[in-house]
Amino acid sequence: NKKDNDKKEEKPTKVEKEKFTGYLYQLNEGYGWVRDSSNKYYYLVDKDGKVITKIDYSYYSETPIFNNGYSQLLDKIYNTKGEVVLSKEDEKFDEMTYVGDGLVIVKVTEEDYKGTSTKMGIYDLNEKNYNLELQDNIYYIRYIEDGMFILDIRDKVYNEKRVYNSETKIMALLGDRDDVLIGTYKDGYITYRDINSDKVYVFDKNGKERLVYTGKRYVNVGQYSDGLVYIDDAFYDLDGNKVIDLKDEGVRGTPEFVNGYALIYFETGYFTVLSKETKEYVFTPRKFTSMSYYYNGDYELGIFEGQNKLTKDGYLLIKTSKDKKVWAVMNHDGEIISELPVGASVFSSISDYGYIAVDGNTEDYYFTSTGKTIKIEE
């Protein structure tokens, strides 16, 4: 019984996990898409970076973002399990655009004994049926927000715009096609004005109209937010009262309140945050430089381009002073609450859900506003 001492136990070779590099789209509602750098696959990932499923890559010009549990990628709409819930090819749609809230704008060409007609409607993914039936007199459908749409209706006799509430199915007349300027929709309200008058109105989702401004002609159409409308350097309430006056402050653009705070840019290249409660600036205006992914110049403080308002949690993506030059998250009080690793680049600003897509040179990952790093794991 001779023992073989020459045999040695072989240890399994340790395999280094491959680091993910590619393009990261925003994580919304805990789910998002990423694309690998070799352009072979799209990956569906959860809020922890775990891959749920992957599909073959094909160029897609839109940004695939989850909204109310669904996301469109190419000609298919997926749920958070990676299952296809609607296919353009299967339904024989000419066009299909998922706009959010479980609603899809569709265009269909139909033929019968009268000839060929193009129809548009709104499909509900949750109900698996049309919310607004296909109609041949709808020329264009524009999604606003929160289940609200603007319908451009054209007939042989008339042209008009109507506001359509997908929840109540109310369709209200907004005006003729050429005489109304329409603003953005927020929290159940849309601003608009007659281009031939000095009046600006707010129209709620139930069809009720309110006059909020009358004064100079050709003012901007107004931006509704947090119960106020910004028109001509001032915020007005829904009864038409001027509640915050920013005249002679040199404000640039159209500021918007988010949960009581508005990001304010000035023509001089300064910025601050305005409090709705106190009607005062939260901190003394600071000089900033607007910078993109490729910016390499000198600055005191940088703000990532395209951020026109604070996130829902009151955050802003900035780049700290010329001494450190690192990306960081600033809150509405002007305080830095977290910093990205030195040398990290960014693909995007902060989403409303607090995620930043980061290019870490050797590995791409998500960074949360509170400082957590989320890596992609297949």
Side-chain angles (χ1 to χ4, degrees):
N1 297 323
K2 184 180 179 182
K3 293 182 180 180
D4 188 357
N5 295 322
D6 295 332
K7 289 186 178 180
K8 294 181 180 179
E9 186 179 345
E10 294 183 2
K11 294 182 179 180
T13 304
K14 187 177 181 180
V15 179
E16 283 291 330
K17 194 169 184 179
E18 189 175 346
K19 295 180 179 180
F20 179 85
T21 58
Y23 191 89
L24 286 67
Y25 300 100
Q26 278 296 357
L27 279 174
N28 278 359
E29 303 172 350
Y31 297 91
W33 293 98
V34 301
R35 168 166 56 85
D36 73 311
S37 56
S38 62
N39 288 340
K40 289 183 178 179
Y41 302 106
Y42 287 108
Y43 297 87
L44 172 61
V45 302
D46 65 13
K47 62 182 176 59
D48 297 316
K50 183 179 179 181
V51 173
I52 297 171
T53 189
K54 66 181 180 181
I55 62 175
D56 291 339
Y57 171 80
S58 182
Y59 176 74
Y60 184 51
S61 60
E62 304 299 322
T63 301
I65 293 178
F66 272 88
N67 183 305
N68 285 76
Y70 302 103
S71 173
Q72 181 170 346
L73 185 57
L74 305 170
D75 293 331
K76 294 181 175 65
I77 296 175
Y78 295 81
N79 61 17
T80 54
K81 297 178 182 179
E83 301 167 336
V84 177
V85 295
L86 195 68
S87 168
K88 175 183 171 183
E89 182 180 3
D90 292 345
E91 300 295 332
K92 295 180 172 56
F93 294 146
D94 293 294
E95 295 179 14
M96 176 182 79
T97 305
Y98 179 63
V99 294
D101 299 305
L103 301 171
V104 187
I105 298 174
V106 300
K107 181 184 286 188
V108 177
T109 299
E110 295 183 351
E111 292 185 7
D112 57 22
Y113 71 94
K114 294 181 181 179
T116 302
S117 63
T118 300
K119 299 181 178 181
M120 295 192 72
I122 302 170
Y123 188 85
D124 190 323
L125 293 171
N126 296 314
E127 298 296 328
K128 296 181 173 56
N129 205 348
Y130 279 97
N131 181 281
L132 177 66
E133 293 292 337
L134 294 167
Q135 298 178 30
D136 57 8
N137 65 342
I138 300 178
Y139 178 77
Y140 186 72
I141 300 177
R142 178 161 70 100
Y143 180 69
I144 309 298
E145 189 178 289
D146 195 24
M148 299 290 289
F149 297 80
I150 298 292
L151 308 181
D152 191 347
I153 299 176
R154 303 187 183 185
D155 210 317
K156 293 180 180 179
V157 180
Y158 61 86
N159 296 333
E160 63 187 25
K161 275 190 170 67
R162 290 186 176 269
V163 177
Y164 177 69
N165 184 334
S166 62
E167 181 182 352
T168 63
K169 306 292 181 69
I170 292 175
M171 190 182 295
L173 180 65
L174 193 60
D176 295 334
R177 184 169 60 88
D178 296 322
D179 67 358
V180 174
L181 293 176
I182 301 171
T184 55
Y185 177 91
K186 293 287 179 185
D187 304 326
Y189 296 92
I190 186 170
T191 56
Y192 72 98
R193 74 172 176 87
D194 185 327
I195 61 175
N196 298 311
S197 78
D198 59 357
K199 296 179 175 60
V200 177
Y201 299 88
V202 163
F203 191 93
D204 71 23
K205 64 181 181 180
N206 295 315
K208 183 179 179 181
E209 181 182 79
R210 299 189 190 194
L211 177 64
V212 293
Y213 175 89
T214 180
K216 295 190 304 184
R217 294 181 64 178
Y218 310 119
V219 296
N220 62 52
V221 71
Q223 169 67 61
Y224 173 91
S225 63
D226 259 9
L228 302 178
V229 183
Y230 185 77
I231 305 170
D232 195 27
D233 298 326
F235 285 96
Y236 295 79
D237 64 20
L238 295 181
D239 294 321
N241 301 309
K242 185 186 292 186
V243 294
I244 303 176
D245 192 352
L246 297 178
K247 186 179 179 182
D248 300 326
E249 289 293 283
V251 175
R252 189 183 79 194
T254 305
E256 178 180 340
F257 277 105
V258 179
N259 293 329
Y261 295 93
L263 179 62
I264 304 291
Y265 289 120
F266 300 97
E267 296 290 352
T268 53
Y270 284 73
F271 85 104
T272 188
V273 172
L274 175 68
S275 168
K276 179 182 173 183
E277 181 180 3
T278 65
K279 302 178 184 178
E280 300 288 340
Y281 298 142
V282 177
F283 53 85
T284 303
R286 304 178 188 176
K287 190 172 181 59
F288 76 97
T289 299
S290 180
M291 55 178 54
S292 66
Y293 180 93
Y294 301 103
Y295 187 87
N296 290 317
D298 197 13
Y299 58 91
E300 294 179 13
L301 183 143
I303 293 181
F304 191 82
E305 285 182 346
Q307 297 176 103
N308 297 319
K309 61 180 181 178
L310 300 168
T311 68
K312 290 178 180 178
D313 294 323
Y315 296 140
L316 186 68
L317 181 62
I318 62 109
K319 207 165 190 181
T320 54
S321 69
K322 54 189 176 185
D323 297 327
K324 295 184 72 175
K325 290 190 176 181
V326 296
W327 290 106
V329 178
M330 175 183 284
N331 65 14
H332 57 63
D333 291 322
E335 302 167 339
I336 294 175
I337 62 169
S338 63
E339 290 185 345
L340 276 70
V342 176
S345 300
V346 295
F347 286 128
S348 69
S349 183
I350 312 175
S351 73
D352 267 340
Y353 292 86
Y355 293 93
I356 305 167
V358 178
D359 176 5
N361 296 321
T362 59
E363 183 176 19
D364 297 332
Y365 55 90
Y366 289 102
F367 185 85
T368 71
S369 54
T370 55
K372 182 180 178 181
T373 297
I374 300 171
K375 297 182 179 180
I376 309 303
E377 296 183 5
E378 188 172 4

